[in-house]
Amino acid sequence: MAADGRGGDQAVSARAAEAAPDGALLVVRDLHAGYGGQEVLRGITLCVRPGEVVCVIGPNGAGKSTLLKTIFGFLRATRGAITFDGVSLLGRRPPEILRSGITYVPQGISTLPNLSVDDNLRLAAYVRRDRQVRDDIERLLDAFPALRARRRLRARTLSGGERRILEVARVLLLDPRLVLLDEPTIGLSGAAVEFIYEKIGEFRRRGLAVLLVEQNARTALRHSQRAYVLEQGRVRFEGGGEEILQHPEVRRAYLGGRA
Ligand SMILES: Nc1ncnc2c1ncn2[C@@H]1O[C@H](COP(=O)(O)OP(=O)(O)OP(=O)(O)O)[C@@H](O)[C@H]1O
Ligand SMILES: [Mg+2]
């Protein structure tokens, strides 16, 4: 485990930033971004490989959502690099980033409340240009039986958990190579949380890469291959999911110190 980018040794962090991690799909190097004049991300370096769930945890205001927004092009980086499959994402806008194979589920609810479950899925598939969409929706509804049972209902009549599941289903329908998920399990029951992680696991085993922000750190770490702990816009710790889960300082600060 290594502390990263904590001011000080610029030369060391610059060298680390140059080494392209093996097989990484998403590479973020020395990323700086913020709002107006206020810098929120202060030199973030991380990567995600295909078939990997990577989780980002950290206190409120650490910059986790800002990181995902910047990767997806909603916010402009002021310094650093973001590459996806070797191609720079800097200066690209969200629709272009979406077409390149990245999907994003922002924090909070993003389904369209007055459309049916079916229409929410069809709308999500709108950016796809192939004719497989109907078949894919059927397959997806097989994987998410709660949605099949409610496919003609308006999204606003779903429970919070069902809506969250619809959101995750929507992004998977786009057949992305990388999914950015901002707190997908917040407010959900234990069973719904497990269900979402089970689905993320299935897609991961088929090669999907997932960058996941979570408040529910303990559960997220258990389901992640690797993790980064953000503090005040910097990576404070990084390591394997289990390794971070066991790290005494992380446990004290973020996991309530319990097993
Ligand atoms: N649209 C915005 N305009 C100005 N400042 C913002 C904006 N969004 C976030 N910030 C600020 O940026 C900082 C990081 O916010 P961010 O939402 O990235 O944190 P977070 O780690 O996702 O927190 P949480 O766990 O509460 O979701 C905070 O200080 C926040 O006030
Ligand atoms: Mg957030």
Side-chain angles (χ1 to χ4, degrees):
M1 180 175 323
D4 180 30
R6 302 185 66 193
D9 197 342
Q10 289 290 337
V12 170
S13 80
R15 265 200 308 279
E18 274 162 25
D22 274 354
L25 185 60
L26 176 76
V27 179
V28 172
R29 285 180 191 152
D30 190 31
L31 184 66
H32 292 248
Y35 305 92
Q38 197 213 338
E39 189 168 67
V40 171
L41 304 183
R42 301 184 170 96
I44 303 262
T45 294
L46 58 77
C47 72
V48 187
R49 299 181 178 86
E52 211 178 33
V53 176
V54 173
C55 125
V56 176
I57 62 170
N60 295 123
K64 305 180 298 294
S65 296
T66 302
L67 171 66
L68 297 193
K69 282 187 245 174
T70 310
I71 294 170
F72 201 67
F74 281 122
L75 211 60
R76 192 171 284 275
T78 49
R79 206 170 107 192
I82 307 171
T83 60
F84 179 64
D85 207 7
V87 177
S88 175
L89 296 184
L90 294 184
R92 296 188 186 221
R93 306 191 64 74
E96 202 184 336
I97 292 176
L98 181 69
R99 281 193 297 272
S100 76
I102 302 179
T103 58
Y104 168 53
V105 181
Q107 197 168 349
I109 294 293
S110 66
T111 50
L112 293 164
N114 286 321
L115 293 187
S116 67
V117 167
D118 237 5
D119 287 341
N120 265 283
L121 292 172
R122 269 190 273 179
L123 192 66
Y126 189 70
V127 292
R128 284 179 46 172
R129 303 209 167 116
D130 58 89
R131 289 157 187 266
Q132 291 289 315
V133 171
R134 284 263 42 137
D135 287 353
D136 284 355
I137 289 179
E138 292 308 316
R139 261 202 300 280
L140 203 68
L141 292 173
D142 287 341
F144 296 88
L147 297 183
R148 182 181 286 289
R150 293 165 180 79
R151 66 190 293 177
R152 314 255 175 252
L153 298 180
R154 289 176 188 221
R156 69 176 154 78
T157 68
L158 303 183
S159 74
E162 289 159 356
R163 272 223 222 178
R164 212 59 192 156
I165 288 167
L166 175 58
E167 284 169 13
V168 172
R170 274 176 13 140
V171 297
L172 294 175
L173 189 60
L174 296 177
D175 198 19
R177 298 173 69 197
L178 170 71
V179 182
L180 310 172
L181 295 174
D182 199 342
E183 306 203 6
T185 70
I186 197 161
L188 299 193
S189 71
V193 171
E194 279 309 312
F195 181 78
I196 285 191
Y197 277 113
E198 203 181 291
K199 292 297 152 194
I200 290 174
E202 276 172 29
F203 282 85
R204 169 189 95 69
R205 285 188 286 279
R206 287 188 234 153
L208 181 70
V210 180
L211 183 62
L212 173 74
V213 166
E214 268 292 359
Q215 284 290 328
N216 192 349
R218 198 181 295 275
T219 312
L221 289 170
R222 283 205 191 101
H223 290 88
S224 300
Q225 279 64 56
R226 291 188 306 108
Y228 295 85
V229 181
L230 244 61
E231 242 179 51
Q232 296 181 28
R234 294 190 174 94
V235 175
R236 180 76 203 283
F237 300 106
E238 60 178 283
E242 198 58 36
E243 187 185 356
I244 295 283
L245 200 54
Q246 301 304 335
H247 190 276
E249 213 174 315
V250 176
R251 285 165 70 107
R252 213 165 26 245
Y254 304 110
L255 304 173
R258 288 169 291 112

